[in-house]
Amino acid sequence: MGRRRVAILGGGAGGLTAAFELTATPELRERYEVTVHQLGWRLGGKGASGRREVGAARPIHEHGLHVWFGFYENAFDVMQRVYAELDRPVGMPLATWRDAFHPVDEVVLFDDTGDDGWRPRRFRFPRNDGQPGIPVPAPSLHGLLRDAIHTLRLVEPPENASRPLKLLDAVVDRFLLALERFLGGDDDHLDLGDVVEGLLAISDPLLHLGGDQDDEPVVCRLLRALRDALWRVTGGDRYAMTFDLVSTVFRGILSDGLDDDGFGTVNDEELRAWLARHGAKRATLDGSPLLRGFYQLCFAYEDGDRDRPSLAAGKALQAMLRMTLGYRGSIM
């Protein structure tokens, strides 16, 4: 019996990966005869690049933005196996996959500030010891929540911040550090809401955390109170928006019990509606560079209309957590 013939239409990343996997072992090569059909001569699809004669120069031409995030486990796994099979000699251009991929720790988003025009907003993510593409157990929600608090601590006020804001930021950092250390245990089945509520309940009379959100865990009400204090001091600037966005995600996960019930239970809600239900400020929903950048990254507008956002809350939260907290090495 002859080999089974396989036709792959398109030589983009998906097509080439399929061809690579179907011929990855001698047994598979004996089983399949694979042909990639490509319109034109250039392989790579949206990841293709090449050089073009422009006068005396030969600049690189690409098909758009090329970014691999640090949580792309499957993509980096394939790329490492491809380079191992290439086995390029030392000294050749792009001899190893690490020569081809350079880690980046800073994300820069441009923000339309109106009269001041477009201004860059820089967000720096700490590097870790992980390596993308090396199989490891998926992070627990407990661990992701701890990492979310750590990331929230890294949000810094502007360099020209007022003294009251800097003092308030120091207070917030102390609280978040204590919460991060508390979440640092290895018990992934810890009921965070109940335990933290028990530890912080004595603060309720002093911090006046009651009100319309009495059904929230105390830690969520405390984060809301800190957000409101930051908002009053800053007037709701981009620093306050970032704190609002991250803390609202944390509060919403705990309040909805997503650590027990799973993210799929809120997929019937649009992400912005879910954030609003958990108390995110309207200014954050409309003006946060991080939130807007996430929607644009996912092309999450119906027919490209920015007034019609469409992103399932559960899947969006999973993606946000994986992208910003589940990366290996660097965020991209």
Side-chain angles (χ1 to χ4, degrees):
M1 182 177 178
R3 291 185 297 171
R4 187 173 182 179
R5 299 175 67 186
V6 177
I8 297 175
L9 304 183
L16 293 179
T17 299
F20 179 74
E21 295 290 8
L22 286 172
T23 58
T25 66
E27 293 78 15
L28 287 171
R29 289 192 287 274
E30 289 181 3
R31 184 176 178 183
Y32 297 113
E33 178 184 341
V34 178
T35 303
V36 177
H37 297 267
Q38 167 65 26
L39 182 64
W41 61 270
R42 190 192 305 274
L43 294 174
K46 289 187 176 180
S49 64
R51 293 186 181 273
R52 180 180 177 185
E53 300 287 348
V54 180
R58 298 183 66 241
I60 292 176
H61 285 249
E62 297 183 343
H63 285 185
L65 182 65
H66 298 352
V67 172
W68 282 32
F69 286 98
F71 73 98
Y72 284 5
E73 300 296 343
N74 294 327
F76 276 106
D77 168 63
V78 170
M79 191 57 62
Q80 289 173 49
R81 288 188 284 126
V82 166
Y83 269 88
E85 191 166 314
L86 282 173
D87 193 23
R88 286 175 170 167
V90 176
M92 281 192 65
L94 305 181
T96 70
W97 74 273
R98 288 194 177 278
D99 295 332
F101 292 89
H102 297 273
V104 175
D105 302 316
E106 189 175 66
V107 176
V108 181
L109 302 174
F110 278 81
D111 186 18
D112 187 0
T113 59
D115 294 339
D116 294 334
W118 291 87
R119 295 183 58 187
R121 306 291 183 182
R122 291 177 168 82
F123 301 89
R124 191 166 189 84
F125 293 82
R127 193 169 298 193
N128 58 51
D129 296 330
Q131 176 177 311
I134 302 298
V136 297
S140 66
L141 183 56
H142 176 192
L144 289 175
L145 289 176
R146 180 192 62 237
D147 292 342
I149 291 298
H150 178 74
T151 300
L152 198 55
R153 282 205 305 116
L154 298 177
V155 177
E156 296 291 342
E159 293 182 1
N160 60 348
S162 64
R163 180 173 175 78
L165 175 56
K166 290 181 178 179
L167 291 174
L168 180 58
D169 180 70
V171 173
V172 171
D173 276 353
R174 285 179 178 273
F175 165 72
L176 295 178
L177 178 59
L179 184 56
E180 181 186 344
R181 287 174 175 171
F182 173 74
L183 295 174
D186 296 326
D187 184 2
D188 290 341
H189 301 290
L190 189 65
D191 190 333
L192 300 179
D194 289 346
V195 175
V196 176
E197 183 162 2
L199 291 175
L200 297 179
I202 57 174
S203 303
D204 200 8
L206 299 175
L207 296 171
H208 306 292
L209 298 177
D212 296 336
Q213 294 83 32
D214 282 344
D215 57 336
E216 283 187 322
V218 170
V219 65
C220 295
R221 281 180 271 158
L222 183 55
L223 282 172
R224 189 189 293 266
L226 291 173
R227 186 276 313 271
D228 290 343
L230 282 174
W231 204 272
R232 286 192 296 271
V233 171
T234 65
D237 66 1
R238 295 315 193 251
Y239 166 66
M241 287 182 185
T242 302
F243 189 96
D244 182 27
L245 177 62
V246 179
S247 62
T248 299
V249 169
F250 183 92
R251 296 196 318 265
I253 289 174
L254 286 184
S255 296
D256 281 355
L258 301 186
D259 49 337
D260 294 323
D261 300 332
F263 288 90
T265 58
V266 295
N267 270 334
D268 58 341
E269 287 187 76
E270 208 283 322
L271 175 61
R272 289 188 184 182
W274 183 88
L275 291 168
R277 178 165 66 83
H278 289 289
K281 297 280 191 181
R282 171 51 58 183
T284 299
L285 299 176
D286 294 338
S288 166
L290 277 177
L291 186 60
R292 183 171 60 246
F294 183 71
Y295 269 83
Q296 292 174 348
L297 178 68
C298 299
F299 302 99
Y301 298 103
E302 291 188 28
D303 298 325
D305 185 350
R306 289 178 58 179
D307 293 327
R308 299 164 62 195
S310 180
L311 200 53
K315 282 299 181 184
L317 291 168
Q318 286 179 303
M320 292 171 71
L321 291 172
R322 285 294 304 276
M323 182 185 302
T324 60
L325 304 175
Y327 59 85
R328 311 279 170 74
S330 61
I331 188 170
M332 60 183 181

